Amino acid sequence: MIGVILSMTSCEKAIIGEGEESLLEEGEVQGQAQLCVVTRAGGDAEGSSIADGRIYVVNSKGICVEMLTTNEENKQTTTVLPAGSYTLYAIGGDDLLRYTLPSKGTATASSVIKCQDGKVLDDLLQAVVHVDLEDGEVLNQQIVLEHKVLCLDEIDIKQVPTSATKVEVAFAPLYSAIQLDGTYCESPTETYKVALTKQADGKTWRATPQQMLFPSKGKPTIKVTITTDNGTQGFSYNSTEDLPANHHFSISGTFKVAQGVSITGILTSADWGEDRTISFDLDNSNQTDYHPVAGQFTNGYYAVTVDEANRRAVLFGMNVVPYEAPAGGSDNATWKAALQSKLTTWEKPVGINGNWRLPTLEEASIIIRDPQVVTVHDTGNTMTMWCLDGDELKWAYGQTVNNNLTIQTGNSSFKSTIFLRPVIDITY
């Protein structure tokens, strides 16, 4: 916080220099008061000054009669005012030049302050104080400025799938401007988006923007998007609380393979406002961007079948799953158990609750017949893949006979050259 000390002393009459316009309004007493303004960092016994300060002095008719400035080298400024009623609009920050600020001649309570094009929002503090100056009065007035921005310190999400190539977090709507009287402008609003960086462990993504932002307009929507080679998935959450100014804000989240993303947001004081905590989960119920159509790709996965009435679908993974074949001579049940065990540990698509499984013979037939996902080789045959016919493990492949692709299956001669190409059940 910032303290502003104002001291006024009275003189017998106002002295106006040659060529200056009188500050007196009609009917005002021609008493003179001296206004001394000192800006300093609140809570500091040494009274260290802020980098950049500005005080607009507005009279009872809404006219700005003085614009006072302070900085680290000159933290005190003095002006002469006639007795009367004034409103002091104080602004402070590290660099006010990055903002569009009104001039003395244009300043009103509703003057809009926003970040200039090409500049980045920085700390911004404001306060409004009303004073009445009487002839002969000596007044010492302290102003406490409040942070009108929040600070986004850090975001990290743990246990992100190793296949992720990009992770982003976005917040909206946020205010984009504020008035001289400290009221936020209702429009336009903006979205803040930050890209996270993969850490050394390969599963943690983090950003430390230390970015000042205007607070949220109401309860914001927070969206996390995770991109892999198979596409992008989004998780959105409608916060139950505002993101207020005057706080430092951090987010720590954990991606849960079976449940999606669980995120906890923490508001810390850092000598600003009081500590607050906001917690929320992003899971399969928040999942966005899955709109499967049978025979088409969705987020990089091929939709084998789609039950639109119940919003269920079977997706086919385009990657071949490596596996360790059982010992020679193993029976059908041993092979099936080995393949299914491998699939329980195979990384699932972002936000999917189910597990990979072997396709049914019917599903394998759909996959094999679609040239989008399976290639017919020069021999006229396709690759051979594992499937289940009821509870029995089988292999299946496509064979071209009289220009028609027919499905060939078998339950013997198992070998490690048969491809493990699983499917997964989703709800959307």
Side-chain angles (χ1 to χ4, degrees):
M1 62 182 69
I2 299 169
V4 180
I5 298 177
L6 302 96
S7 61
M8 294 80 176
T9 59
S10 174
C11 298
E12 292 183 357
K13 63 178 181 179
I15 301 175
I16 301 174
E18 184 178 353
E20 292 182 344
E21 182 179 350
S22 174
L23 297 177
L24 295 179
E25 299 180 12
E26 183 178 354
E28 283 189 317
V29 179
Q30 291 190 1
Q32 182 176 339
Q34 182 174 329
L35 173 61
C36 178
V37 182
V38 179
T39 59
R40 69 183 186 198
D44 189 339
E46 299 297 324
S48 60
S49 61
I50 61 172
D52 202 356
R54 187 174 296 189
I55 301 95
Y56 295 87
V57 183
V58 177
N59 66 19
S60 58
K61 291 187 176 181
I63 300 171
C64 181
V65 296
E66 279 291 353
M67 185 183 71
L68 310 175
T69 60
T70 63
N71 54 48
E72 287 180 323
E73 294 181 356
N74 301 295
K75 59 183 180 181
Q76 179 170 315
T77 182
T78 303
T79 189
V80 175
L81 293 171
S85 296
Y86 298 91
T87 302
L88 309 178
Y89 298 97
I91 301 175
D94 295 328
D95 178 16
L96 294 182
L97 292 178
R98 67 181 62 219
Y99 296 102
T100 57
L101 296 178
S103 65
K104 171 186 171 182
T106 62
T108 66
S110 59
S111 293
V112 174
I113 301 170
K114 62 181 180 179
C115 196
Q116 293 194 41
D117 293 340
K119 299 289 186 179
V120 179
L121 197 68
D122 203 351
D123 199 5
L124 183 67
L125 304 98
Q126 289 182 257
V128 179
V129 171
H130 303 281
V131 296
D132 293 315
L133 306 181
E134 297 182 4
D135 184 24
E137 180 184 18
V138 177
L139 176 64
N140 293 317
Q141 176 71 50
Q142 179 173 312
I143 303 177
V144 178
L145 277 72
E146 182 183 68
H147 296 277
K148 303 302 288 187
V149 294
L150 62 86
C151 183
L152 181 59
D153 288 334
E154 181 180 11
I155 302 174
D156 68 68
I157 299 181
K158 303 177 182 68
Q159 299 302 316
V160 175
T162 56
S163 59
T165 57
K166 185 178 182 181
V167 177
E168 288 185 329
V169 178
F171 305 85
L174 303 177
Y175 290 112
S176 64
I178 193 170
Q179 296 182 162
L180 191 59
D181 64 2
T183 303
Y184 294 102
C185 300
E186 290 297 312
S187 63
T189 58
E190 62 184 10
T191 298
Y192 177 75
K193 182 183 293 185
V194 58
L196 280 57
T197 301
K198 182 185 286 188
Q199 303 302 296
D201 65 359
K203 293 186 176 182
T204 300
W205 289 70
R206 176 176 295 120
T208 54
Q210 295 289 318
Q211 178 60 53
M212 302 292 181
L213 301 169
F214 282 120
S216 65
K217 180 182 179 181
K219 298 175 177 61
T221 296
I222 301 173
K223 183 174 182 179
V224 178
T225 56
I226 298 177
T227 301
T228 68
D229 290 336
N230 293 315
T232 299
Q233 277 189 268
F235 300 87
S236 63
Y237 174 78
N238 296 321
S239 177
T240 58
E241 299 184 48
D242 299 350
L243 299 183
N246 201 37
H247 292 273
H248 281 243
F249 185 31
S250 297
I251 293 178
S252 180
T254 301
F255 180 86
K256 297 182 178 179
V257 173
Q259 297 176 353
V261 180
S262 174
I263 291 180
T264 299
I266 304 172
L267 288 174
T268 60
S269 65
D271 296 328
W272 285 25
E274 75 282 0
D275 290 354
R276 294 180 59 187
T277 300
I278 298 177
S279 301
F280 52 90
D281 292 331
L282 295 175
D283 53 30
N284 196 49
S285 64
N286 311 109
Q287 181 184 323
T288 61
D289 303 329
Y290 262 121
H291 306 285
V293 177
Q296 297 183 16
F297 286 87
T298 178
N299 292 338
Y301 295 91
Y302 175 78
V304 183
T305 60
V306 175
D307 180 355
E308 294 184 0
N310 295 304
R311 298 183 64 81
R312 297 175 180 171
V314 176
L315 301 184
F316 173 62
M318 295 301 292
N319 295 324
V320 176
V321 178
Y323 65 93
E324 185 175 346
S330 296
D331 60 13
N332 190 291
T334 301
W335 272 91
K336 184 170 69 171
L339 297 174
Q340 291 176 330
S341 176
K342 177 62 179 180
L343 292 181
T344 60
T345 61
W346 189 242
E347 188 174 74
K348 291 180 280 293
V350 175
I352 299 303
N353 289 336
N355 291 313
W356 290 107
R357 61 173 176 81
L358 291 165
T360 66
L361 177 57
E362 292 76 14
E363 291 166 345
S365 299
I366 295 172
I367 293 167
I368 290 170
R369 286 193 171 97
D370 195 326
Q372 294 182 95
V373 290
V374 174
T375 300
V376 178
H377 302 298
D378 293 339
T379 60
N381 296 342
T382 69
M383 57 86 181
T384 304
M385 62 182 290
W386 295 107
C387 64
L388 288 176
D389 187 2
D391 291 330
E392 186 178 16
L393 180 66
K394 288 187 176 182
W395 47 257
Y397 70 92
Q399 182 180 53
T400 303
V401 178
N402 296 326
N403 293 322
N404 292 318
L405 193 69
T406 61
I407 304 300
Q408 306 296 322
T409 66
N411 60 358
S412 62
S413 302
F414 291 168
K415 51 188 176 181
S416 61
T417 55
I418 300 173
F419 290 105
L420 180 55
R421 303 289 298 274
V423 296
I424 196 166
D425 301 296
I426 71 165
T427 56
Y428 62 95

